[in-house]
Each structure stands twice: as C-alpha cells, then as structure tokens.
Amino acid sequence: MNVAIEKQKDGSYIAYNTDEEGLSIIGSGDTVREAKDDFFNSVQETKSACEEAGIVPPAALDEEPTFRFDVSSLFEYYNMINVSAFARYLGINEALLRQYKKGGTYISESQMKRIEDGIHALGHEFTQLRLV
C-alpha cells in the first residue's frame, strides 16, 4: 500500500493511502510521527470493523506501507538532516530548500527528483561506509 504524507495549510500532517480503490485510510496529527501512528491506528480500526461485520478485510491492510513524503514532511520527520548542509550537498540554493521545507512553495518535478536522487545517493554512501 502506498501512503502519501503531506503537510497541510494549517501546519498539521496527513497520511493517506493512494493506491487502493474503494479503500480510504487516513491518519492525521501535529507531526509526521503522529500522522503515521494515526494512520496505523486507522488500519487496525478498519480491520476490526471488517471482522466485526463478518467481512474479510482487504489484503492491502496487511501489507507493509511504502511512505511517500512531500519535502516539508520529509524534513520534519527526518529532522536530523540539516537542510542547509543538504542543500549544499545537492547544489541547491539553501534559502530555496528552506522554503520547500517550510511548505507552500511550488517545487518542480525536476527539482523534486533532484532532492529524491540526492537522498538516495546519500543513503547509498551511508550503506557503503565502515567505521574504524
């Protein structure tokens, strides 16, 4: 199950499934963690409601979700990433990436891909390092 996590205009966060037609699971909270926790709670409540009604719960409810973050939610959840340092790593203007983090600023598909590719590259670097 694919789950989008996005920052809302009021500053809260929402987590919702994006790929199961006829099945809407939503979680919300003041932080990404709270939205994810509420999403998982909604999954459990939906499974329980199906079982109580004698309905077989959709198989998607037992799948491990794949989370997809908007840029603001990403940096809120992974707050150990220094936005300015990450912008320098990517070669993106620091102030612009801070605006993306704040939310409400348009991000082109190519810029979003650049950020995502940079995260993957950094992750790959981390998996290759060894401490001595």
Side-chain angles (χ1 to χ4, degrees), residues 1-5 15 36 39-40 64-69:
M1 174 182 331
N2 289 315
V3 179
I5 299 180
K36 282 180 72 174
F39 178 84
F40 285 121
E64 185 69 29
T66 300
F67 291 98
R68 300 173 186 272
F69 294 83

Side-chain angles (χ1 to χ4, degrees), residues 7-132:
K7 185 174 185 178
Q8 302 296 288
K9 289 182 181 178
D10 67 358
S12 67
Y13 295 87
I14 186 169
Y16 60 94
N17 65 304
T18 61
D19 60 351
E20 297 298 323
E21 195 168 313
L23 178 65
S24 295
I25 307 293
I26 299 172
S28 63
D30 291 331
T31 66
V32 172
R33 170 62 57 204
E34 287 178 8
K36 282 180 72 174
D37 288 347
D38 193 42
F39 178 84
F40 285 121
N41 185 57
S42 295
V43 167
Q44 291 305 315
E45 288 177 353
T46 302
K47 286 170 70 172
S48 295
C50 287
E51 291 166 1
E52 287 175 14
I55 301 168
V56 176
L61 296 176
D62 289 322
E63 295 175 6
E64 185 69 29
T66 300
F67 291 98
R68 300 173 186 272
F69 294 83
D70 68 3
V71 173
S72 183
S73 298
L74 172 82
F75 286 112
E76 191 276 334
Y77 189 67
Y78 294 101
N79 59 10
M80 73 288 295
I81 300 173
N82 178 290
V83 177
S84 295
F86 189 65
R88 289 190 300 274
Y89 173 80
L90 295 176
I92 294 177
N93 180 285
E94 294 175 37
L96 182 59
L97 193 55
R98 283 192 300 273
Q99 287 177 0
Y100 293 159
K101 177 188 175 192
K102 188 176 180 181
T105 301
Y106 172 76
I107 305 173
S108 69
E109 288 293 321
S110 63
Q111 193 77 310
M112 208 167 346
K113 178 146 178 46
R114 187 174 178 187
I115 294 167
E116 184 175 310
D117 288 349
I119 290 165
H120 293 167
L122 184 59
H124 180 73
E125 285 182 37
F126 277 127
T127 63
Q128 300 303 306
L129 71 81
R130 299 294 176 260
L131 299 177
V132 293

